[in-house]
Amino acid sequence: MSQDIRICFLGDSLVNGTGDESALGWAGRLCAQAIHNGFPITYYNLGIRGETSQQIKERWERECASRLPAFCDGRIVLSCGVNDTARQNGALRVLNQDSRRNIQQILRQAKQKYKVLTVGPPPVADETHNERIQGLSQILAEASKMLEVPYIDLFLPLVADPIYRQDVLRNDGSHPQKSGYEKMAQIIHSSPNWWFHQL
């Protein structure tokens, strides 16, 4: 095992951990657990509030290049989509076909240099918006599979979870609080596609 594992978590406010009173989000929790289990991880949270796949596509390469030098075991976790499916001035911020194209471009380029994993978008409190998120989640899963990039679905395990829903409703309708991010981290950690379990 490499003694210098570095991970960039690319995405939006749900990657950033917005709303989490502990300021860890799911990325921080996963890395804290991995470090506790003996994995030598340095992690960078590159989640930016409000960003779509288009905006992430425009910035990811330069941001990751400085944080993942060639001599380390560089990895990327990409997670986005809720902002793509949001409506702005009556229209989707990013059309599904454009989201697919953006994600495929990021993954195709990233996997040439790094180990890559995709985490799907979680649900929100609005049912109409959730229908769009579910559709995009399926699209992202297919795009990841085509490029042989592992995919972890957050939408289906959380959409029917009453505790997660209440956590989102208690906050702002889009972001969970501490318990919601704990659930997200548990789902990702329990997936065989997550890299770090036990040494």
Side-chain angles (χ1 to χ4, degrees):
M1 181 185 70
S2 169
Q3 293 304 305
D4 187 1
I5 301 170
R6 305 188 193 187
I7 311 170
C8 287
F9 289 83
L10 282 168
D12 50 27
S13 56
L14 289 152
V15 170
N16 173 263
T18 299
D20 183 358
E21 311 94 299
S22 67
L24 287 170
W26 55 263
R29 284 179 168 78
L30 287 168
C31 290
Q33 187 169 18
I35 291 167
H36 177 75
N37 289 339
F39 293 95
I41 289 173
T42 300
Y43 89 99
Y44 303 95
N45 192 314
L46 304 181
I48 296 181
R49 290 195 73 166
E51 285 213 336
T52 65
S53 62
Q54 177 65 36
Q55 292 166 306
I56 296 165
K57 183 185 75 172
E58 292 166 359
R59 70 176 169 92
W60 80 269
E61 199 163 8
R62 67 178 181 275
E63 293 190 357
C64 291
S66 61
R67 293 169 173 86
L68 304 176
F71 58 79
C72 77
D73 179 352
R75 305 181 185 213
I76 290 176
V77 177
L78 174 65
S79 182
C80 60
V82 173
N83 292 319
D84 287 37
T85 56
R87 289 195 176 277
Q88 192 172 64
N89 301 321
L92 284 179
R93 290 189 65 192
V94 182
L95 297 175
N96 279 350
Q97 60 265 33
D98 294 328
S99 296
R100 178 199 291 269
R101 190 178 305 114
N102 294 335
I103 294 295
Q104 284 180 322
Q105 181 175 327
I106 295 168
L107 296 179
R108 190 177 292 113
Q109 293 175 343
K111 66 178 292 197
Q112 293 176 13
K113 295 182 179 179
Y114 314 113
K115 294 177 183 174
V116 186
L117 173 67
T118 313
V119 174
V124 297
D126 182 277
E127 295 307 322
T128 304
H129 192 176
N130 277 340
E131 291 176 9
R132 300 194 297 273
I133 294 172
Q134 182 173 15
L136 183 58
S137 179
Q138 293 169 344
I139 288 170
L140 299 186
E142 293 165 5
S144 299
K145 184 178 180 180
M146 281 180 59
L147 292 169
E148 299 181 326
V149 172
Y151 184 84
I152 298 175
D153 178 34
L154 286 180
F155 185 86
L156 289 178
L158 291 174
V159 70
D161 187 317
I163 297 173
Y164 184 84
R165 180 177 177 82
Q166 282 303 312
D167 203 49
V168 173
L169 282 169
R170 273 195 304 268
N171 195 23
D172 62 2
S174 298
H175 304 91
Q177 297 176 301
K178 180 180 177 182
S179 63
Y181 283 107
E182 287 172 349
K183 280 187 170 288
M184 294 163 81
Q186 289 166 4
I187 292 166
I188 296 167
H189 188 268
S190 66
S191 169
N193 289 329
W194 177 239
W195 297 304
F196 310 109
H197 294 99
Q198 294 291 334
L199 284 171

